[in-house]
Amino acid sequence: MKKVNVTYSERGFPQFDGAVETDYGHKVRVYGSSAAMKDCVWMSVAHDGVAAGLPEVDTAVHMDLEQATAVRDRLSAWINTTNGYDDTDVAALRSRIKELEQWRTELADQLEPFRTREDW
């Protein structure tokens, strides 16, 4: 997962790495909320309407931690389905690491006869 840079607005609220532009030109931003009663976040979607057939959009949703976590979980489920593995399953990740280490060892063994002194 890529590390997200955090900057702060003039009022001290976090902003996360600027907008992500989608395939259709929508700009999605995530930024902290000034809600006083609990931690909340805004996720905005904007589109200038230039792309053929798409309306102009400028809206945002306000979420508390539970709601933001639910959205994150759904995105993670889609990402895991697309990638073919579940990055939340620690045992499966450890198993995959062992498979890759075994593959690397087998490949190194196969290449061993082709090494020369200069390679060392």
Side-chain angles (χ1 to χ4, degrees), residues 2-106:
K2 179 186 171 232
K3 182 173 170 47
V4 175
N5 293 318
V6 180
T7 58
Y8 293 88
S9 70
E10 290 179 9
R11 294 177 55 206
F13 300 108
Q15 301 173 349
F16 304 94
D17 247 358
V20 173
E21 188 164 344
T22 70
D23 288 346
Y24 293 115
H26 295 85
K27 291 178 177 58
V28 181
R29 291 181 49 234
V30 176
Y31 48 96
S33 165
S34 62
M37 300 305 287
K38 59 184 174 179
D39 290 330
C40 292
V41 67
W42 285 99
M43 184 170 66
S44 69
V45 177
H47 192 282
D48 61 11
V50 172
L54 293 175
E56 186 173 340
V57 175
D58 189 5
T59 191
V61 294
H62 192 256
M63 297 177 281
D64 64 17
L65 181 59
E66 182 179 339
Q67 295 159 335
T69 301
V71 170
R72 187 228 27 222
D73 291 347
R74 284 156 178 78
L75 287 169
S76 291
W78 175 79
I79 291 166
N80 293 336
T81 300
T82 302
N83 286 336
Y85 69 90
D86 181 355
D87 66 1
T88 62
D89 184 346
V90 174
L93 288 172
R94 286 188 178 134
S95 175
R96 182 66 178 140
I97 289 167
K98 284 184 181 184
E99 288 173 19
L100 292 171
E101 288 172 344
Q102 180 65 33
W103 173 82
R104 182 186 63 196
T105 301
E106 290 170 4

